[in-house]
Amino acid sequence: MPPWKSEPGYGEFIGHRPLTDAEIAVMQQWVADGAPEGSKDWDFRWQHVYRYVTPFALPKGTTLAMRYTYDNSAENPRNPQQPPRRVLWGQWSKDEMGDLWIQVLTRDDRDLQILNAAYRPKMIAEDIVGYETMIREDPSRVQLHDDVAALYLDAGRAKEGAAHFEASVRLKPESSAAHYNFATALTLAGRVDEAIGQYQQALQIKPDYALAHNNLGSVLLRIGNPVQALQHFRSAPTRPDECRGSLQRGQRVSLARQFL
């Protein structure tokens, strides 16, 4: 917030009103809040953290507000695009990426759980909108499809996630990971037969793909095919980097044998 350094040529104020109503409203609110002082000459290249010397408490019901003002004109010497172009949300310095991040410490673990439960769905929903905007501008970027697909799965929207992983498969059909990701989303969406086909394609490309063997075995076991499930469990290499968090090979084999 202010004070800002003066700019040459803007010292005459008689009959001159450089601020909009919205900007005046921000100034009024800033004064009403005690005129806290932040950076005096902010540069868009300073993508860093501003830390308060003394932390302060935010009572329940507190509202945090930030207004960003952009100058996308040719007269702006800091405009990274000359001549100016339309700016959309994105992850590069040339994009609109104004975000306000507040680091907070809750009083206890219960408050932390409440905060995460309220904040995480909002963050995921906003990121989905942003990624979909970038994909409309550049639908050929596999990483964008993969990232938004993961967000959809995190939000419990497996159908939309599967659609984007399918797009990644079309763009990169030689990738075993692309087929595996698509198969995982199909499994979550209840499209088991299609998921089996994608796991099989992943294994054709990478026969020692431990996660694909493991997940395919689990799907086959679920639909009542323990014999083939056992084959895949036995074929899955025991690789800690791929099997972390899942059943180990011996456990998977023992589980499948129970259904024989």
Side-chain angles (χ1 to χ4, degrees):
M1 290 301 295
W4 296 292
K5 292 182 179 179
S6 59
E7 292 288 340
Y10 287 87
E12 300 77 28
F13 298 104
I14 298 177
H16 179 66
R17 182 184 175 187
L19 298 180
T20 65
D21 289 339
E23 290 169 331
I24 291 174
V26 172
M27 292 283 290
Q28 291 173 333
Q29 185 62 51
W30 171 70
V31 173
D33 290 340
E37 182 176 330
S39 174
K40 298 180 180 180
D41 186 24
W42 181 258
D43 190 304
F44 87 99
R45 290 168 292 188
W46 298 353
Q47 299 183 30
H48 211 300
V49 177
Y50 182 89
R51 300 184 185 276
Y52 285 91
V53 175
T54 303
F56 56 93
L58 297 173
K60 181 179 180 180
T62 297
T63 298
L64 299 176
M66 173 66 76
R67 181 182 294 275
Y68 297 92
T69 300
Y70 299 94
D71 181 359
N72 192 32
S73 68
E75 290 72 30
N76 180 6
R78 291 173 174 170
N79 193 337
Q81 300 187 115
Q82 296 288 357
R85 296 173 54 190
R86 184 187 180 197
V87 179
L88 300 174
W89 185 90
Q91 299 173 319
W92 309 101
S93 293
K94 67 180 178 61
D95 299 325
E96 188 283 297
M97 52 185 306
D99 289 311
L100 173 64
W101 292 79
I102 302 295
Q103 185 180 53
V104 298
L105 178 65
T106 58
R107 296 184 185 277
D108 51 46
D109 290 342
R110 181 176 178 276
D111 283 352
L112 177 60
Q113 294 174 358
I114 294 173
L115 177 64
N116 285 335
Y119 171 73
R120 186 170 178 78
K122 177 180 182 295
M123 179 185 68
I124 291 175
E126 290 179 349
D127 284 348
I128 285 175
V129 172
Y131 274 105
E132 291 286 14
T133 299
M134 289 191 292
I135 289 171
R136 283 194 294 271
E137 292 295 313
D138 187 2
S140 64
R141 289 177 61 185
V142 173
Q143 190 60 54
L144 292 180
H145 287 287
D146 287 348
D147 287 348
V148 76
L151 289 171
Y152 275 124
L153 295 187
D154 205 354
R157 298 166 63 179
K159 180 180 177 180
E160 292 94 331
H164 280 284
F165 278 138
E166 183 177 16
S168 295
V169 167
R170 289 196 300 267
L171 292 168
K172 203 170 183 180
E174 74 283 1
S175 169
S176 59
H179 290 281
Y180 170 81
N181 290 337
F182 186 25
T184 301
L186 289 171
T187 303
L188 293 174
R191 297 159 60 182
V192 177
D193 291 340
E194 296 174 77
I196 291 173
Q198 290 299 317
Y199 284 130
Q200 291 171 338
Q201 289 191 51
L203 290 170
Q204 287 178 3
I205 299 170
K206 185 180 179 182
D208 64 344
Y209 202 159
L211 286 175
H213 278 295
N214 183 35
N215 283 18
L216 178 54
S218 298
V219 171
L220 291 170
L221 191 61
R222 184 193 308 175
I223 65 174
N225 194 338
V227 175
Q228 290 189 26
L230 184 59
Q231 293 174 354
H232 283 286
F233 288 150
R234 284 173 170 166
S235 298
T238 304
R239 294 176 53 180
D241 60 325
E242 287 194 358
C243 295
R244 188 180 295 111
S246 61
L247 293 174
Q248 295 300 310
R249 178 180 176 182
Q251 295 173 300
R252 298 193 300 268
V253 170
S254 298
L255 181 63
R257 281 176 175 168
Q258 296 177 16
F259 291 87
L260 294 176

